[in-house]
Coordinates of all heavy atoms in Angstrom, one line a residue:
M1 N 0.8 -1.2 0.0 CA 0.0 0.0 0.0 C 0.9 1.3 0.0 O 0.6 2.2 -0.7 CB -0.9 0.0 1.2 CG -1.8 1.2 1.3 SD -3.0 1.0 2.6 CE -4.1 2.3 2.4
V2 N 2.0 1.3 0.8 CA 2.8 2.4 0.9 C 3.4 2.8 -0.4 O 3.5 4.0 -0.8 CB 3.9 2.3 2.0 CG1 4.9 3.4 2.0 CG2 3.2 2.1 3.4
V3 N 3.8 1.8 -1.2 CA 4.4 2.0 -2.5 C 3.4 2.7 -3.5 O 3.7 3.7 -4.2 CB 4.9 0.7 -3.2 CG1 5.4 0.9 -4.6 CG2 6.0 0.1 -2.3
V4 N 2.2 2.3 -3.4 CA 1.1 2.9 -4.2 C 0.9 4.3 -3.8 O 0.7 5.2 -4.7 CB -0.2 2.1 -4.1 CG1 -1.3 2.8 -4.8 CG2 0.0 0.7 -4.7
I5 N 0.9 4.6 -2.5 CA 0.7 6.0 -2.0 C 1.8 6.9 -2.5 O 1.5 8.0 -2.9 CB 0.7 6.0 -0.5 CG1 -0.5 5.1 0.0 CG2 0.5 7.4 0.0 CD1 -0.5 4.9 1.5
R6 N 3.0 6.4 -2.6 CA 4.2 7.2 -3.0 C 3.9 7.7 -4.5 O 4.3 8.8 -4.8 CB 5.5 6.5 -3.0 CG 6.0 6.3 -1.6 CD 7.3 5.6 -1.5 NE 7.7 5.3 -0.2 CZ 8.3 4.2 0.2 NH1 8.5 3.3 -0.7 NH2 8.6 4.0 1.5
Q7 N 3.3 6.9 -5.3 CA 3.0 7.3 -6.7 C 1.9 8.4 -6.7 O 1.9 9.2 -7.6 CB 2.5 6.1 -7.5 CG 3.6 5.0 -7.6 CD 3.0 3.7 -8.2 OE1 1.8 3.6 -8.4 NE2 3.9 2.8 -8.5
L8 N 1.1 8.5 -5.7 CA 0.0 9.5 -5.6 C 0.5 10.8 -5.1 O -0.2 11.9 -5.3 CB -1.1 8.9 -4.7 CG -2.4 9.7 -4.5 CD1 -3.1 9.9 -5.9 CD2 -3.3 9.1 -3.5
V9 N 1.6 10.9 -4.4 CA 2.1 12.1 -3.7 C 2.1 13.3 -4.7 O 1.6 14.4 -4.3 CB 3.5 11.9 -3.1 CG1 4.1 13.2 -2.7 CG2 3.4 10.9 -1.9
D10 N 2.7 13.2 -5.8 CA 2.8 14.4 -6.7 C 1.4 14.8 -7.3 O 1.1 16.0 -7.5 CB 3.7 14.1 -7.9 CG 5.1 14.0 -7.5 OD1 5.5 14.6 -6.5 OD2 5.9 13.3 -8.2
K11 N 0.5 13.8 -7.5 CA -0.8 14.1 -8.1 C -1.8 14.7 -7.1 O -2.5 15.6 -7.4 CB -1.4 12.9 -8.7 CG -0.6 12.3 -9.9 CD -1.2 11.0 -10.4 CE -0.2 10.4 -11.4 NZ -0.7 9.1 -11.8
D12 N -1.8 14.1 -5.9 CA -2.8 14.5 -4.9 C -2.2 14.3 -3.5 O -2.5 13.3 -2.8 CB -4.1 13.7 -5.0 CG -5.2 14.3 -4.2 OD1 -5.0 15.1 -3.3 OD2 -6.4 13.8 -4.4
P13 N -1.4 15.3 -3.0 CA -0.7 15.1 -1.7 C -1.6 14.9 -0.5 O -1.4 14.2 0.4 CB 0.2 16.3 -1.6 CG -0.1 17.2 -2.7 CD -1.0 16.5 -3.7
E14 N -2.8 15.6 -0.6 CA -3.7 15.5 0.6 C -4.3 14.1 0.6 O -4.4 13.6 1.7 CB -4.8 16.6 0.4 CG -4.4 18.0 0.6 CD -3.7 18.3 1.9 OE1 -4.2 17.8 2.9 OE2 -2.6 19.0 1.9
K15 N -4.6 13.5 -0.5 CA -5.1 12.2 -0.5 C -4.0 11.2 -0.1 O -4.3 10.3 0.7 CB -5.6 11.8 -1.9 CG -6.3 10.4 -1.9 CD -7.0 10.1 -3.2 CE -7.7 8.8 -3.2 NZ -8.3 8.5 -4.4
A16 N -2.8 11.5 -0.5 CA -1.7 10.6 -0.1 C -1.5 10.7 1.4 O -1.3 9.6 2.1 CB -0.4 11.1 -0.8
I17 N -1.6 11.8 2.0 CA -1.5 11.9 3.5 C -2.6 11.1 4.2 O -2.3 10.4 5.1 CB -1.6 13.4 4.0 CG1 -0.3 14.1 3.5 CG2 -1.7 13.5 5.5 CD1 -0.3 15.6 3.7
A18 N -3.8 11.2 3.7 CA -4.9 10.4 4.3 C -4.6 8.9 4.1 O -4.9 8.1 5.1 CB -6.2 10.7 3.6
L19 N -4.1 8.5 3.0 CA -3.7 7.1 2.8 C -2.6 6.6 3.7 O -2.5 5.5 4.1 CB -3.5 6.8 1.3 CG -4.7 6.9 0.4 CD1 -4.4 6.8 -1.0 CD2 -5.8 5.9 0.8
F20 N -1.6 7.5 3.9 CA -0.5 7.2 4.8 C -1.0 7.0 6.2 O -0.7 6.0 6.9 CB 0.6 8.3 4.8 CG 1.5 8.3 3.7 CD1 1.8 9.5 2.9 CD2 2.3 7.2 3.4 CE1 2.7 9.5 1.9 CE2 3.2 7.2 2.3 CZ 3.4 8.3 1.6
W21 N -2.0 7.8 6.6 CA -2.6 7.6 7.9 C -3.3 6.3 8.0 O -3.2 5.5 9.0 CB -3.7 8.7 8.2 CG -3.1 10.0 8.8 CD1 -3.1 11.2 8.3 CD2 -2.5 10.1 10.1 NE1 -2.6 12.1 9.1 CE2 -2.2 11.5 10.3 CE3 -2.2 9.2 11.1 CZ2 -1.6 12.0 11.4 CZ3 -1.6 9.7 12.3 CH2 -1.3 11.1 12.4
A22 N -4.0 5.9 6.9 CA -4.7 4.6 6.9 C -3.7 3.5 7.0 O -3.9 2.5 7.7 CB -5.5 4.5 5.6
A23 N -2.6 3.6 6.3 CA -1.5 2.6 6.3 C -0.9 2.4 7.7 O -0.8 1.3 8.3 CB -0.4 2.9 5.3
I24 N -0.7 3.6 8.4 CA -0.1 3.6 9.7 C -1.1 2.9 10.7 O -0.8 2.0 11.5 CB 0.2 5.0 10.2 CG1 1.4 5.5 9.4 CG2 0.5 5.1 11.7 CD1 1.6 7.0 9.5
N25 N -2.4 3.3 10.6 CA -3.4 2.7 11.5 C -3.6 1.2 11.2 O -4.0 0.5 12.2 CB -4.7 3.5 11.3 CG -4.6 4.9 11.9 OD1 -3.9 5.1 12.9 ND2 -5.3 5.8 11.4
A26 N -3.4 0.8 10.0 CA -3.5 -0.6 9.7 C -2.2 -1.4 10.0 O -2.2 -2.6 9.9 CB -3.8 -0.8 8.2
G27 N -1.2 -0.7 10.4 CA 0.1 -1.4 10.8 C 0.9 -1.8 9.5 O 1.8 -2.6 9.6
D28 N 0.6 -1.1 8.4 CA 1.2 -1.5 7.1 C 2.5 -0.6 6.9 O 2.4 0.6 6.7 CB 0.3 -1.2 6.0 CG 0.8 -1.6 4.6 OD1 1.9 -2.3 4.5 OD2 0.2 -1.2 3.6
R29 N 3.7 -1.2 7.1 CA 5.0 -0.6 7.0 C 5.0 0.8 7.7 O 5.2 1.8 7.0 CB 5.3 -0.4 5.5 CG 5.4 -1.8 4.8 CD 5.8 -1.7 3.4 NE 7.1 -1.0 3.2 CZ 7.6 -0.7 2.1 NH1 7.0 -1.0 1.0 NH2 8.8 -0.1 2.0
V30 N 4.7 0.8 8.9 CA 4.6 2.0 9.7 C 5.8 2.9 9.6 O 5.7 4.1 9.5 CB 4.2 1.7 11.2 CG1 4.2 2.9 12.0 CG2 2.9 0.9 11.3
D31 N 7.0 2.3 9.7 CA 8.2 3.1 9.6 C 8.2 4.0 8.3 O 8.4 5.2 8.4 CB 9.5 2.2 9.5 CG 9.7 1.4 10.8 OD1 8.9 1.5 11.8 OD2 10.7 0.7 10.9
S32 N 8.0 3.3 7.2 CA 8.1 4.0 5.9 C 6.9 5.0 5.8 O 7.1 6.1 5.3 CB 8.0 3.0 4.7 OG 9.2 2.2 4.8
A33 N 5.7 4.6 6.2 CA 4.5 5.4 6.0 C 4.7 6.7 6.9 O 4.3 7.8 6.4 CB 3.3 4.6 6.4
L34 N 5.1 6.6 8.1 CA 5.3 7.7 8.9 C 6.3 8.7 8.4 O 6.1 9.9 8.3 CB 5.6 7.3 10.4 CG 5.7 8.5 11.4 CD1 4.5 9.3 11.5 CD2 6.1 7.9 12.8
K35 N 7.5 8.2 8.0 CA 8.5 9.0 7.4 C 8.0 9.7 6.2 O 8.2 11.0 6.0 CB 9.8 8.2 7.2 CG 10.5 7.8 8.5 CD 11.8 7.1 8.2 CE 11.6 5.7 7.9 NZ 12.9 5.0 7.7
D36 N 7.4 9.0 5.3 CA 7.0 9.5 4.0 C 5.9 10.6 4.2 O 5.8 11.6 3.6 CB 6.5 8.4 3.0 CG 7.6 7.6 2.6 OD1 8.8 7.9 2.7 OD2 7.3 6.5 2.0
M37 N 5.0 10.3 5.1 CA 3.9 11.2 5.4 C 4.4 12.5 6.0 O 3.9 13.6 5.6 CB 2.9 10.6 6.4 CG 1.7 11.5 6.7 SD 0.5 10.7 7.8 CE 1.4 10.8 9.4
A38 N 5.4 12.4 6.9 CA 5.9 13.6 7.5 C 6.6 14.5 6.4 O 6.5 15.7 6.4 CB 6.9 13.3 8.5
I39 N 7.3 13.9 5.4 CA 7.9 14.6 4.4 C 6.9 15.3 3.5 O 7.0 16.5 3.1 CB 8.8 13.7 3.6 CG1 10.0 13.3 4.5 CG2 9.3 14.4 2.3 CD1 10.9 12.2 3.9
V40 N 5.8 14.6 3.2 CA 4.7 15.2 2.3 C 4.1 16.3 3.1 O 3.8 17.4 2.5 CB 3.7 14.1 1.9 CG1 2.5 14.8 1.2 CG2 4.4 13.1 1.0
M41 N 3.8 16.1 4.4 CA 3.3 17.2 5.2 C 4.2 18.4 5.2 O 3.7 19.6 5.1 CB 3.0 16.7 6.7 CG 1.9 15.8 6.8 SD 1.8 15.3 8.5 CE 0.1 14.6 8.5
K42 N 5.5 18.2 5.3 CA 6.4 19.4 5.3 C 6.2 20.1 3.9 O 6.2 21.3 3.9 CB 7.8 18.9 5.4 CG 8.9 20.0 5.3 CD 10.3 19.4 5.3 CE 11.2 20.5 4.8 NZ 12.5 19.9 4.3
Q43 N 6.2 19.4 2.9 CA 6.0 20.0 1.5 C 4.7 20.8 1.4 O 4.6 21.7 0.7 CB 6.1 18.9 0.4 CG 7.4 18.3 0.3 CD 7.4 17.0 -0.5 OE1 6.4 16.5 -0.9 NE2 8.6 16.5 -0.9
Q44 N 3.7 20.4 2.2 CA 2.4 21.0 2.2 C 2.3 22.1 3.3 O 1.2 22.5 3.6 CB 1.3 20.0 2.4 CG 1.2 19.0 1.2 CD 0.9 19.6 -0.1 OE1 -0.1 20.4 -0.2 NE2 1.7 19.4 -1.1
N45 N 3.4 22.5 3.8 CA 3.4 23.5 4.9 C 2.7 23.1 6.1 O 2.0 23.9 6.8 CB 3.0 24.8 4.4 CG 3.8 25.4 3.3 OD1 5.1 25.3 3.4 ND2 3.3 25.9 2.2
R46 N 2.8 21.8 6.5 CA 2.1 21.3 7.7 C 3.1 20.7 8.6 O 2.9 19.6 9.2 CB 1.1 20.2 7.2 CG -0.1 20.8 6.4 CD -0.9 19.8 5.7 NE -1.6 18.9 6.6 CZ -2.4 17.9 6.2 NH1 -2.7 17.7 4.9 NH2 -3.0 17.1 7.1
A47 N 4.2 21.4 8.8 CA 5.3 20.9 9.7 C 4.9 20.6 11.1 O 5.2 19.6 11.7 CB 6.5 21.9 9.7
E48 N 4.1 21.5 11.7 CA 3.6 21.3 13.1 C 2.8 19.9 13.2 O 3.0 19.2 14.1 CB 2.8 22.4 13.5 CG 2.4 22.4 15.0 CD 1.8 23.6 15.5 OE1 2.0 24.7 15.0 OE2 1.0 23.5 16.4
E49 N 2.0 19.7 12.2 CA 1.2 18.4 12.2 C 2.1 17.2 12.1 O 1.9 16.2 12.7 CB 0.1 18.5 11.1 CG -0.8 17.3 11.1 CD -1.9 17.4 10.0 OE1 -2.0 18.5 9.4 OE2 -2.6 16.4 9.8
A50 N 3.1 17.4 11.2 CA 4.1 16.3 11.0 C 4.9 16.0 12.3 O 5.1 14.8 12.6 CB 5.0 16.6 9.9
I51 N 5.3 17.0 13.0 CA 6.0 16.9 14.2 C 5.1 16.1 15.2 O 5.6 15.2 15.9 CB 6.4 18.3 14.8 CG1 7.5 18.9 13.9 CG2 6.9 18.2 16.2 CD1 7.8 20.4 14.2
E52 N 3.9 16.5 15.4 CA 3.0 15.9 16.3 C 2.8 14.4 15.9 O 2.7 13.5 16.8 CB 1.7 16.6 16.4 CG 1.8 18.0 17.1 CD 2.4 17.9 18.5 OE1 2.1 17.0 19.3 OE2 3.3 18.7 18.7
A53 N 2.6 14.1 14.7 CA 2.5 12.8 14.2 C 3.7 11.9 14.6 O 3.5 10.8 15.1 CB 2.2 12.7 12.7
I54 N 4.9 12.4 14.3 CA 6.1 11.6 14.6 C 6.1 11.4 16.2 O 6.4 10.3 16.6 CB 7.3 12.3 14.1 CG1 7.3 12.2 12.6 CG2 8.6 11.7 14.7 CD1 8.5 13.0 11.9
K55 N 5.9 12.5 16.9 CA 6.0 12.4 18.4 C 5.0 11.4 18.9 O 5.3 10.6 19.8 CB 5.8 13.7 19.0 CG 7.0 14.6 18.8 CD 6.8 16.1 19.1 CE 6.4 16.4 20.5 NZ 6.2 17.8 20.8
S56 N 3.8 11.3 18.4 CA 2.8 10.4 18.9 C 2.9 9.0 18.4 O 2.5 8.1 19.0 CB 1.4 11.0 18.7 OG 1.1 11.0 17.3
L57 N 3.5 8.8 17.2 CA 3.6 7.5 16.6 C 4.9 6.8 16.6 O 5.0 5.6 16.2 CB 3.0 7.6 15.2 CG 1.5 8.0 15.1 CD1 1.2 8.3 13.6 CD2 0.6 6.9 15.6
R58 N 6.0 7.5 16.9 CA 7.3 6.9 16.8 C 7.5 5.7 17.6 O 8.3 4.8 17.3 CB 8.4 7.9 17.1 CG 8.5 8.3 18.6 CD 9.6 9.3 18.8 NE 10.9 8.9 18.2 CZ 11.9 9.7 17.7 NH1 11.7 11.0 17.8 NH2 12.9 9.2 17.2
S59 N 6.7 5.5 18.7 CA 6.8 4.3 19.5 C 6.4 3.0 18.8 O 6.7 1.9 19.1 CB 6.0 4.4 20.8 OG 4.6 4.6 20.5
R60 N 5.6 3.2 17.7 CA 5.2 2.1 16.9 C 6.2 1.7 15.8 O 6.0 0.8 15.0 CB 3.8 2.4 16.2 CG 2.7 2.6 17.3 CD 1.4 3.1 16.7 NE 0.9 2.1 15.7 CZ -0.2 2.3 15.0 NH1 -0.9 3.4 15.1 NH2 -0.6 1.4 14.1
C61 N 7.3 2.5 15.7 CA 8.3 2.3 14.7 C 9.4 1.4 15.3 O 9.7 1.4 16.5 CB 8.8 3.6 14.2 SG 7.6 4.6 13.3
S62 N 10.2 0.8 14.4 CA 11.3 0.0 14.8 C 12.4 0.8 15.3 O 12.5 2.0 15.1 CB 11.8 -0.8 13.6 OG 12.4 0.1 12.6
D63 N 13.3 0.1 16.1 CA 14.5 0.8 16.6 C 15.4 1.4 15.4 O 16.0 2.5 15.6 CB 15.4 -0.1 17.4 CG 14.7 -0.5 18.7 OD1 13.8 0.2 19.2 OD2 15.1 -1.5 19.3
Q64 N 15.4 0.7 14.3 CA 16.2 1.1 13.2 C 15.7 2.4 12.6 O 16.4 3.2 12.0 CB 16.2 0.1 12.1 CG 17.0 -1.2 12.5 CD 16.1 -2.1 13.4 OE1 14.9 -2.0 13.5 NE2 16.8 -3.1 14.0
A65 N 14.4 2.7 12.7 CA 13.8 3.9 12.2 C 14.0 5.2 13.0 O 13.8 6.3 12.5 CB 12.3 3.7 11.9
Q66 N 14.4 5.0 14.3 CA 14.4 6.1 15.2 C 15.4 7.2 14.8 O 15.0 8.4 14.9 CB 14.7 5.6 16.6 CG 13.7 4.7 17.2 CD 12.3 5.2 17.2 OE1 12.1 6.4 17.6 NE2 11.3 4.4 16.8
E67 N 16.5 6.9 14.3 CA 17.5 7.9 13.9 C 17.0 8.7 12.7 O 17.1 9.9 12.6 CB 18.9 7.3 13.5 CG 19.9 8.4 13.3 CD 21.3 7.8 13.1 OE1 21.5 6.6 13.4 OE2 22.2 8.6 12.6
S68 N 16.3 8.0 11.7 CA 15.7 8.7 10.6 C 14.6 9.7 11.0 O 14.5 10.8 10.6 CB 15.1 7.7 9.6 OG 16.2 7.0 8.9
L69 N 13.8 9.2 12.0 CA 12.8 10.0 12.5 C 13.3 11.3 13.2 O 12.8 12.4 13.1 CB 11.9 9.2 13.5 CG 11.0 8.2 12.8 CD1 10.3 7.3 13.9 CD2 9.9 8.8 11.9
D70 N 14.4 11.1 14.0 CA 15.1 12.2 14.6 C 15.5 13.2 13.5 O 15.4 14.5 13.7 CB 16.3 11.8 15.4 CG 15.9 11.1 16.7 OD1 14.8 11.3 17.2 OD2 16.8 10.4 17.3
N71 N 16.1 12.8 12.5 CA 16.6 13.6 11.4 C 15.4 14.4 10.7 O 15.6 15.6 10.4 CB 17.4 12.9 10.4 CG 18.7 12.4 10.9 OD1 19.3 13.0 11.8 ND2 19.2 11.3 10.4
I72 N 14.3 13.7 10.5 CA 13.2 14.4 10.0 C 12.6 15.4 10.9 O 12.3 16.5 10.5 CB 12.1 13.3 9.6 CG1 12.6 12.4 8.4 CG2 10.8 14.0 9.2 CD1 11.7 11.2 8.2
L73 N 12.6 15.1 12.2 CA 12.1 16.1 13.2 C 13.0 17.3 13.2 O 12.5 18.4 13.3 CB 12.1 15.4 14.6 CG 10.9 14.6 15.0 CD1 11.1 14.0 16.4 CD2 9.7 15.5 15.0
L74 N 14.3 17.1 13.2 CA 15.2 18.2 13.1 C 14.9 19.1 11.9 O 14.9 20.4 12.1 CB 16.7 17.8 13.0 CG 17.3 17.2 14.3 CD1 18.6 16.5 14.0 CD2 17.4 18.2 15.4
D75 N 14.7 18.5 10.8 CA 14.4 19.3 9.6 C 13.0 20.0 9.7 O 12.9 21.2 9.4 CB 14.3 18.4 8.4 CG 14.3 19.1 7.1 OD1 15.1 20.1 7.0 OD2 13.7 18.6 6.1
L76 N 12.1 19.3 10.3 CA 10.7 20.0 10.5 C 10.8 21.1 11.5 O 10.2 22.2 11.3 CB 9.7 18.9 11.1 CG 9.3 17.8 10.0 CD1 8.6 16.7 10.8 CD2 8.4 18.4 9.0
Y77 N 11.6 21.0 12.6 CA 11.7 22.1 13.5 C 12.4 23.3 12.9 O 12.0 24.4 13.2 CB 12.5 21.7 14.7 CG 11.8 20.8 15.7 CD1 12.3 19.6 16.2 CD2 10.5 21.1 16.2 CE1 11.6 18.8 17.1 CE2 9.8 20.4 17.0 CZ 10.4 19.2 17.5 OH 9.7 18.4 18.4
K78 N 13.3 23.1 12.0 CA 14.0 24.2 11.2 C 12.9 24.9 10.4 O 13.0 26.1 10.3 CB 15.1 23.7 10.4 CG 16.3 23.2 11.2 CD 17.3 22.6 10.2 CE 18.5 22.0 11.0 NZ 19.4 21.3 10.1
V79 N 12.1 24.2 9.7 CA 11.0 24.8 8.9 C 10.0 25.5 9.7 O 9.6 26.6 9.4 CB 10.3 23.7 8.1 CG1 9.1 24.3 7.4 CG2 11.3 23.1 7.0
Q80 N 9.6 24.9 10.8 CA 8.6 25.5 11.7 C 9.1 26.7 12.4 O 8.4 27.7 12.5 CB 8.1 24.5 12.7 CG 7.0 25.0 13.6 CD 6.8 24.1 14.8 OE1 7.7 23.4 15.3 NE2 5.6 24.1 15.3
S81 N 10.3 26.7 12.9 CA 10.8 27.8 13.7 C 12.3 28.0 13.4 O 13.2 27.6 14.1 CB 10.7 27.4 15.2 OG 11.3 28.4 16.0
P82 N 12.6 28.7 12.2 CA 14.0 28.9 11.8 C 14.9 29.5 12.8 O 16.1 29.3 12.8 CB 13.8 29.8 10.6 CG 12.4 29.8 10.2 CD 11.6 29.4 11.4
S83 N 14.3 30.3 13.7 CA 15.2 31.1 14.7 C 15.7 30.2 15.8 O 16.7 30.5 16.4 CB 14.4 32.3 15.2 OG 13.3 31.9 15.9
S84 N 14.9 29.2 16.2 CA 15.4 28.4 17.4 C 15.0 26.9 17.3 O 14.3 26.4 18.1 CB 14.7 29.0 18.6 OG 13.3 28.9 18.5
P85 N 15.6 26.2 16.4 CA 15.3 24.8 16.3 C 15.9 24.0 17.5 O 15.4 23.0 17.9 CB 15.9 24.3 15.0 CG 17.0 25.3 14.7 CD 16.5 26.6 15.3
S86 N 17.0 24.4 18.1 CA 17.7 23.7 19.1 C 16.8 23.5 20.3 O 16.9 22.5 21.0 CB 19.0 24.3 19.5 OG 18.8 25.6 19.9
R87 N 16.0 24.5 20.6 CA 15.1 24.5 21.8 C 14.2 23.3 21.7 O 14.0 22.5 22.6 CB 14.3 25.7 21.9 CG 13.4 25.7 23.2 CD 12.5 26.9 23.1 NE 11.5 26.6 22.1 CZ 10.6 27.5 21.7 NH1 10.5 28.6 22.2 NH2 9.7 27.1 20.7
H88 N 13.6 23.1 20.5 CA 12.6 22.0 20.3 C 13.4 20.7 20.3 O 12.9 19.7 20.8 CB 11.9 22.2 19.0 CG 11.0 23.4 18.9 ND1 9.9 23.5 19.7 CD2 11.1 24.5 18.2 CE1 9.3 24.7 19.5 NE2 10.1 25.3 18.6
C89 N 14.5 20.6 19.6 CA 15.2 19.4 19.4 C 15.7 18.8 20.7 O 15.6 17.6 20.9 CB 16.4 19.6 18.5 SG 15.8 20.1 16.8
S90 N 16.2 19.6 21.6 CA 16.7 19.1 22.8 C 15.6 18.6 23.7 O 15.8 17.5 24.3 CB 17.5 20.2 23.6 OG 16.7 21.3 23.9
A91 N 14.5 19.2 23.7 CA 13.3 18.7 24.4 C 12.8 17.4 23.8 O 12.5 16.4 24.6 CB 12.2 19.7 24.4
T92 N 12.8 17.2 22.5 CA 12.4 16.0 21.9 C 13.4 14.9 22.1 O 13.0 13.8 22.4 CB 12.3 16.2 20.3 OG1 11.3 17.2 20.1 CG2 11.8 14.9 19.7
M93 N 14.7 15.2 22.1 CA 15.7 14.2 22.3 C 15.6 13.7 23.8 O 15.7 12.5 24.0 CB 17.1 14.7 22.1 CG 17.4 15.1 20.7 SD 17.2 13.7 19.6 CE 17.4 14.5 18.0
R94 N 15.3 14.6 24.7 CA 15.2 14.1 26.1 C 14.0 13.3 26.2 O 14.0 12.3 26.9 CB 15.0 15.4 27.0 CG 16.4 16.0 27.3 CD 16.2 17.0 28.5 NE 15.2 18.0 28.2 CZ 15.4 19.2 27.6 NH1 16.6 19.5 27.1 NH2 14.4 20.0 27.4
A95 N 12.9 13.6 25.6 CA 11.6 12.8 25.7 C 11.8 11.5 25.0 O 11.2 10.5 25.5 CB 10.5 13.6 25.0
A96 N 12.6 11.4 24.0 CA 12.8 10.1 23.3 C 13.7 9.2 24.1 O 13.7 8.0 23.9 CB 13.4 10.4 21.9
S97 N 14.5 9.7 25.0 CA 15.4 8.8 25.8 C 14.7 8.0 26.8 O 13.7 8.2 27.3 CB 16.5 9.7 26.5 OG 17.1 10.5 25.5

């Protein structure tokens, strides 16, 4: 399902986001679906929503996905608040520990 959604991203990003949510809720490749959804949300100027999604769903992702999620969060914080990303990142890193 996640591969099919990726093909939809350019054509209809809002529908792709809804389908990523459906994949995550169904437990279908949660790691990939969450990362891809966050990136699409960022492209759609929905960084805050992407941050909340990662923070609330990262516990459902594998240990191997955690570093990638951290990197996506860092990027999202920069987009959301260019003047002070470190404030958010340090709090997230502490919460993830």
Side-chain angles (χ1 to χ4, degrees):
M1 181 174 188
V2 172
V3 174
V4 173
I5 299 169
R6 286 184 187 139
Q7 295 171 355
L8 183 63
V9 168
D10 290 333
K11 296 176 186 172
D12 189 348
E14 294 302 319
K15 185 172 183 180
I17 290 169
L19 292 173
F20 280 128
W21 274 117
I24 292 165
N25 289 330
D28 183 12
R29 298 182 60 188
V30 176
D31 294 1
S32 296
L34 181 57
K35 289 186 277 186
D36 292 345
M37 181 179 74
I39 291 167
V40 175
M41 286 178 165
K42 176 188 166 200
Q43 293 167 348
Q44 296 298 305
N45 297 316
R46 294 168 62 181
E48 188 171 330
E49 187 178 349
I51 290 166
E52 291 306 314
I54 291 173
K55 287 167 58 176
S56 66
L57 296 168
R58 73 180 305 152
S59 63
R60 296 176 59 184
C61 295
S62 69
D63 290 342
Q64 294 79 15
Q66 298 303 316
E67 186 174 348
S68 289
L69 290 170
D70 286 341
N71 290 333
I72 293 169
L73 277 174
L74 287 171
D75 195 38
L76 290 166
Y77 285 131
K78 289 176 189 174
V79 170
Q80 181 192 29
S81 175
S83 61
S84 61
S86 60
R87 181 190 72 187
H88 297 292
C89 297
S90 61
T92 300
M93 297 300 177
R94 284 192 304 271
S97 301

